[in-house]
Amino acid sequence: MKRGIIFGIISVGVGCISLLSIVLYHFFYPQQYVRLDNGQYVRAETVANQQPFPIDQECSFVMEYYYPEENRLLREDIEEIPDLLGCNKEGVEKYLKRYMSTLSKEEKENGLVSFSLTGYRNKQITLRKTYRKNVKKGYYAKSFNGNIVILNSDEKTVYDYTPIMLNHLPKDLQEKVQHGYYLESEESLYNFLENYSS
């Protein structure tokens, strides 16, 4: 009986010492692992060494241009973006938000809808601009064989054939109609038809 008690005490003591050793080992030597995009696990410190932040002269950039309607992605290598030097991840995201809030006329016309950070590893930062086609919601008045035809905004589909003749329009409007006179809404279309239909 004494042997059983002694053996139990020793077992509990060894178990406590083992548990304490494990806790102390993980406290003093933490080995945290991170799962990469490809499913591989690596130590967290390895990933930290690969991250490019804060951005310095050694960082390179890849700019992606994405067109979802065509499912097309173009890539361009860029040596540097001076505005991002010294930035951490939050600084890059602030830069992207500021860029979107102060879009140039050209970017608006091209249909830029988002600018985002899509990757950062091994001193390389990947940024993506997503473009959507600007769809005009209006009509075009064009001349075909001297008659005015109303086309949808795609300038191909006929919306209406009108009884209006090109030579019945004022001279300045005749030139515009020959190249395609844009009517931005149904209201402007009806005004045009009302004014020039006799």
Side-chain angles (χ1 to χ4, degrees):
M1 182 95 169
K2 272 187 168 182
R3 281 186 180 171
I5 294 172
I6 292 173
F7 182 72
I9 292 171
I10 290 173
S11 297
V12 169
V14 168
C16 289
I17 290 171
S18 298
L19 183 62
L20 182 64
S21 299
I22 291 169
V23 169
L24 289 174
Y25 177 80
H26 284 288
F27 180 76
F28 288 107
Y29 301 101
Q31 292 187 357
Q32 297 176 348
Y33 288 86
V34 175
R35 186 169 187 238
L36 300 178
D37 296 337
N38 62 9
Q40 180 184 6
Y41 284 89
V42 295
R43 291 179 68 172
E45 62 203 37
T46 305
V47 172
N49 292 338
Q50 292 177 349
Q51 294 201 8
F53 301 114
I55 296 172
D56 58 22
Q57 297 283 348
E58 295 175 15
C59 290
S60 63
F61 297 89
V62 173
M63 187 69 75
E64 296 179 338
Y65 305 95
Y66 180 53
Y67 302 88
E69 287 93 352
E70 305 163 21
N71 196 21
R72 185 167 50 120
L73 180 68
L74 305 174
R75 295 171 61 94
E76 176 185 17
D77 292 327
I78 297 175
E79 287 184 25
E80 64 176 319
I81 300 176
D83 290 347
L84 294 181
L85 278 174
C87 286
N88 57 13
K89 185 180 177 188
E90 291 77 24
V92 172
E93 288 170 351
K94 283 181 185 175
Y95 166 80
L96 299 175
K97 282 181 186 174
R98 190 171 58 247
Y99 187 93
M100 287 303 295
S101 66
T102 58
L103 275 184
S104 67
K105 183 181 177 186
E106 182 184 358
E107 287 284 38
K108 284 180 186 176
E109 288 173 357
N110 289 337
L112 180 64
V113 292
S114 73
F115 192 14
S116 58
L117 174 65
T118 58
Y120 49 92
R121 189 174 293 138
N122 295 331
K123 292 287 188 181
Q124 186 177 72
I125 295 174
T126 305
L127 304 171
R128 177 178 291 182
K129 289 183 174 183
T130 302
Y131 293 90
R132 293 199 182 272
K133 289 182 179 176
N134 288 329
V135 179
K136 288 185 177 179
K137 296 181 180 179
Y139 306 92
Y140 283 91
K142 279 197 171 181
S143 170
F144 289 95
N145 297 327
N147 293 321
I148 306 301
V149 176
I150 305 300
L151 302 174
N152 285 319
S153 59
D154 62 3
E155 296 189 67
K156 295 175 185 171
T157 314
V158 175
Y159 177 78
D160 192 18
Y161 294 96
T162 73
I164 305 169
M165 301 296 290
L166 180 65
N167 58 6
H168 292 145
L169 297 176
K171 289 284 184 197
D172 61 327
L173 191 54
Q174 285 182 24
E175 282 185 38
K176 290 178 184 175
V177 168
Q178 286 175 337
H179 297 293
Y181 180 60
Y182 181 63
L183 302 157
E184 60 193 26
S185 64
E186 283 189 14
E187 185 181 345
S188 55
L189 170 62
Y190 293 134
N191 287 339
F192 174 81
L193 294 174
E194 202 173 286
N195 290 335
Y196 300 109
S197 295
S198 46

